[in-house]
Amino acid sequence: MQIKSITTMIGLILLTVLSGCGKSATEKQPSGIIPAPVKIEYGTGKFVLTKNTVWKVETTGQEAIARQLIGQIEKNSGYALAVSYEKGDILFKTDAALAPEAYTLNVTPATIEITAAGLPGFYYATQSLRQLLPGMIADSSSKEVSGWSIPVMSIADHPRFEYRGLMLDVSRFFIPKETVIKIIDAAAMMKINKLHMHLVDDNGWRLEIKKYPELTEVGAWRVDREDYFPARKNQQPGESVTNGGFYTQQEMKEIVAYAAARQIEVIPEIEMPAHTNASLAAYPDLACPVAKKPITVLPGIGGKNSEIIYCAGNERVFEFLEDVIDEVTEIFPSEYIHLGGDEASKTHWKACPKCQARMKAERIPNEEELQSYFMKRMCKYVQQKGKKPMGWDELTNSELPDGVTIFGWQGFGNAALKAARQGHPFIMTPARILYLVRYQGPQWFEPRAYFGNNTLKDVYEYEPVQKEWQPEEAALLKGIQASLWTEFCNSSEDVEYMIFPRLAALAEAAWIPVSGKDWPGFLSRLDHLTGHWEQMGINYAHSMFNLDHMVLPAEKGLKVAISSIRPDLDIRFTTDGSAPDAQSASYTDTLMIDKSVTLKAATFRNGKQMGQTLTLPLQWNKATGKKVTARPNADRLYALTNGVRGSDKHSDFEWCGWYDTDFSFVVDLGTAQTINEVKLGSVTNHGMAVHIPASIELLASDDNQSFSRIGAKKYNQNDIFAEGIYVSDHHFMDLNAKARYVKIVAKNPGVCPQTHVRPNQKIWVYFDEIIIE
Ligand code: ACM
Ligand code: ZN
């Protein structure tokens, strides 16, 4: 997609056809506003915007907000609408009685009156207006404003949460300033008010610090590696570093100012004590002296190098970090500074004489509490600078620094509750639901990620407050945040694809009351908002139009379910290999299949195909549809005999896996069958420590008691730890057996070897299918 200039993009928004056109005024939420206003009532008639429409403001702050929308209107119309401090048609009126971010918007045929207590409310009113402006100017070249109208209505609106956030990881992938600006514009339109920038990590330091120029001269650059992030090998001697980038202080100030004008606070995160290979590559003396040198900026997960962290026994580390915070404080006027604190390996601290001396001198009982010492000291410094410190939920593993706000990401975010119980404010960004790094739709159609799905619907339905929470704990919840880790982003388009449309779901979940959730209503409003995004040149994902499938072994065949997260689409399918079209059979309920077929299906709306075609080959063999039992049990035994092969994504729900354990499973063929061939499918994803088993035994029995061995395979270290991502089959031929029960016994390979990208890591073994002929 061609990226237009920011100003053109903003201007083009107004060309978008919004909802409301052609719908009755009484229909629920025809406005197309996301997040949905808390209260909205419709009247009859409309306010028509003309070239003579005047904006009446009371303050220069209001004028600046009005002028943003005026500028957007001017881009399409050529008309610069006037602003007056005396009288006008669109009126800003301060009402100090309203809550800080609340606003009202009253549209009559003669005027639009906006009330708010302050600038946030006025800004949000204009963003609702921006989304309300119907895009009926079909011909932008006519430069005519006349005919732009807003239905008579009255809105009273305010957010549920004061913290409505997006995190951008600009370390794993350096997101260009122009893209950050574009994301801020689209986020602000949805009343997101916090942009948490994860500025530093093992993979790059992204902010100019004048006192330490090598942070960006060295720390912002790494070797270029094309392959899958977790499989990327560390920099080798002599390799040049060509991938990276950073924001100058001037550029960052421009981002901060652009965001501030849109009521977004940019919160910088300066990670410590771990995730710091980038700064340590520049200043290796800040690592524990026991750490292996040279330290380099990591292109991937880094293996053992990710254990290298700041030395907690070295005073120069604290001087350095305080100097960095001094400059950060000058760049970011934010209330908060985030200090990270997650995933800090204690390997080096345990072996480091300086760290051990610190523990002795300060009477610190263990390395976890040494992290507490580290974080408390830096949090205190942040507070001395007049800022509030933040950190990840690992801070609850030891004594919490005073006044720190905690981000819950582990265990559905509930790790943060430990902080709430100690009176700390917290924000929920659970990895399982709000991490945008995970797959947003059926995995067969998505670019590769680590594992796991966080769909648009998952994000929309997210409710942070749990029944078992005490009221005083719930009262400390400041809000929710979508967090984009960028391991799998290699372009601005990738970044946009992962953020949109899921940020719209987050924005609505953060704004509307619990009782206001309306998934179908959200989708129909989203369809209009995506029209805006198209005009803004945002590469949003269409994953919500793709189909999931679930094929389960049933008594006499396979039970095939196809589903879409969108209830407003038709599903059409074929079983004769042809491409589905709008005239194909309509899918309304599960299908029973009892022979080899290729099922193809897709979503349609008004006769138009909306998503990609799902191709589901169902391949029959003697094991298909048969019952499987396993020791130990596993979650997805159904996958082994459901006739569907897995893709090379081990978390696509077609793979049955066992972690760090030997295992066995038995297929009951129902009656004694001749067995000539058995094929078992495996997946290897070396970067994720997914490997083939060390050995497989194939056994047969007539009574499920005494089994005889009919085949065996043994693999060596080279076979097991081969690199890459691929599906491979274990093929047992010429078996010449007859039995009712077929058993597989597999041995886990143990742990990944020292030369692996994940040294010492325990291993997953997966099978997708047992094929018996
Ligand atoms: C995190 O995901 N390590 C905060
Ligand atoms: Zn140390």
Side-chain angles (χ1 to χ4, degrees), residues 42-339:
Y42 295 91
T44 48
K46 58 190 182 185
F47 173 94
V48 179
L49 200 74
T50 74
K51 63 180 176 181
N52 299 320
T53 299
V54 176
W55 298 66
K56 152 114 183 19
V57 298
E58 303 163 319
T59 65
T60 52
Q62 291 175 4
E63 179 177 350
I65 286 169
R67 287 207 181 277
Q68 277 188 41
L69 196 51
I70 288 169
Q72 289 158 5
I73 292 168
E74 187 181 358
K75 283 284 179 294
N76 280 326
S77 66
Y79 294 127
L81 302 185
V83 175
S84 161
Y85 280 75
E86 266 94 55
K87 57 179 189 179
D89 314 294
I90 303 178
L91 308 135
F92 284 53
K93 278 191 187 170
T94 300
D95 179 352
L98 287 174
E101 293 189 298
Y103 70 93
T104 68
L105 183 68
N106 267 296
V107 183
T108 70
T111 59
I112 297 177
E113 190 175 293
I114 294 167
T115 70
L119 298 185
F122 286 112
Y123 183 76
Y124 297 142
T126 61
Q127 295 315 293
S128 290
L129 211 47
R130 179 177 172 185
Q131 292 192 36
L132 273 171
L133 274 172
M136 71 244 309
I137 38 160
D139 179 10
S140 67
S141 62
S142 73
K143 306 282 185 194
E144 275 297 330
V145 186
S146 68
W148 294 18
S149 69
I150 295 156
V152 166
M153 65 169 74
S154 122
I155 290 175
D157 203 9
H158 66 274
R160 177 181 177 195
F161 291 119
E162 67 182 71
Y163 189 108
R164 305 177 300 279
L166 169 66
M167 188 203 80
L168 293 180
D169 164 12
V170 295
S171 176
R172 273 46 176 269
F173 171 68
F174 173 63
I175 305 178
K177 179 189 153 199
E178 298 68 34
T179 307
V180 175
I181 291 282
K182 185 173 165 187
I183 292 165
I184 288 172
D185 190 37
M189 198 170 169
M190 300 186 287
K191 306 181 177 83
I192 294 291
N193 68 346
K194 309 284 174 190
L195 180 69
H196 164 189
M197 291 189 81
H198 185 76
L199 290 165
V200 307
D201 210 299
D202 291 327
N203 312 91
W205 182 285
R206 304 298 179 205
L207 179 66
E208 178 192 26
I209 298 293
K210 294 196 192 288
K211 189 158 181 183
Y212 299 94
E214 283 164 48
L215 280 175
T216 44
E217 281 164 19
V218 174
W221 301 96
R222 62 168 173 82
V223 283
D224 211 3
R225 296 268 188 267
E226 296 274 304
D227 44 349
Y228 182 51
F229 184 91
R232 289 178 187 165
K233 295 223 168 65
N234 293 345
Q235 184 182 334
Q236 301 301 306
E239 277 193 297
S240 54
V241 286
T242 54
N243 185 304
F246 64 92
Y247 311 104
T248 64
Q249 293 199 355
Q250 179 55 33
E251 285 168 334
M252 188 49 82
K253 284 177 181 167
E254 287 166 18
I255 290 173
V256 167
Y258 189 87
R262 286 155 186 78
Q263 299 302 322
I264 292 180
E265 175 187 351
V266 182
I267 299 171
E269 180 183 350
I270 304 296
E271 266 269 37
M272 59 192 72
H275 288 280
T276 46
N277 274 248
S279 51
L280 293 173
Y283 299 98
D285 290 349
L286 301 179
C288 291
V290 291
K292 192 165 155 269
K293 312 285 180 343
I295 300 171
T296 54
V297 183
L298 304 178
I301 53 175
K304 289 192 95 54
N305 291 31
S306 66
E307 295 177 354
I308 303 174
I309 69 176
Y310 292 135
C311 178
N314 181 350
E315 276 307 292
R316 284 199 44 226
V317 167
F318 295 93
E319 281 166 31
F320 162 79
L321 289 171
E322 288 173 11
D323 289 340
V324 169
I325 296 296
D326 286 350
E327 292 194 33
V328 165
T329 309
E330 292 301 312
I331 302 164
F332 297 89
S334 57
E335 182 182 2
Y336 294 106
I337 295 183
H338 198 305
L339 298 180

Side-chain angles (χ1 to χ4, degrees), residues 584-747:
S584 300
S586 176
Y587 174 90
T588 51
D589 203 352
T590 46
L591 305 169
M592 287 304 301
I593 302 279
D594 60 2
K595 59 178 189 295
S596 292
V597 294
T598 294
L599 191 144
K600 292 191 178 184
T603 56
F604 290 82
R605 185 164 63 194
N606 301 330
K608 181 172 177 266
Q609 183 167 342
M610 300 302 292
Q612 297 179 65
T613 300
L614 169 70
T615 299
L616 190 61
L618 300 163
Q619 292 158 352
W620 219 264
N621 67 81
K622 286 175 181 164
T624 307
K626 299 295 190 290
K627 196 168 171 345
V628 179
T629 49
R631 264 195 226 169
N633 204 359
D635 280 346
R636 276 186 259 289
L637 290 177
Y638 68 81
L640 296 168
T641 55
N642 72 349
V644 182
R645 297 301 311 261
S647 70
D648 62 9
K649 292 180 178 126
H650 61 278
S651 67
D652 73 358
F653 303 103
E654 287 300 343
W655 292 94
C656 182
W658 285 265
Y659 179 64
D660 188 35
T661 182
D662 301 337
F663 61 94
S664 66
F665 66 86
V666 176
V667 185
D668 179 357
L669 299 176
T671 55
Q673 305 271 329
T674 53
I675 300 166
N676 294 317
E677 266 184 63
V678 172
K679 207 153 73 170
L680 263 179
S682 272
V683 62
T684 292
N685 181 332
H686 141 265
M688 294 301 288
V690 170
H691 290 290
I692 62 170
S695 65
I696 304 172
E697 274 185 280
L698 175 66
L699 305 102
S701 163
D702 283 323
D703 59 4
N704 202 13
Q705 303 285 328
S706 64
F707 280 89
S708 47
R709 192 158 105 166
I710 57 172
K713 300 217 179 270
K714 210 165 162 30
Y715 297 103
N716 64 32
Q717 293 288 103
N718 288 341
D719 299 328
I720 298 165
F721 295 109
E723 295 178 5
I725 301 173
Y726 54 90
V727 172
S728 57
D729 290 340
H730 312 273
H731 211 157
F732 299 87
M733 315 266 275
D734 305 323
L735 296 170
N736 208 11
K738 189 164 185 194
R740 173 173 167 181
Y741 299 93
V742 175
K743 183 174 186 173
I744 297 291
V745 177
K747 270 207 161 323

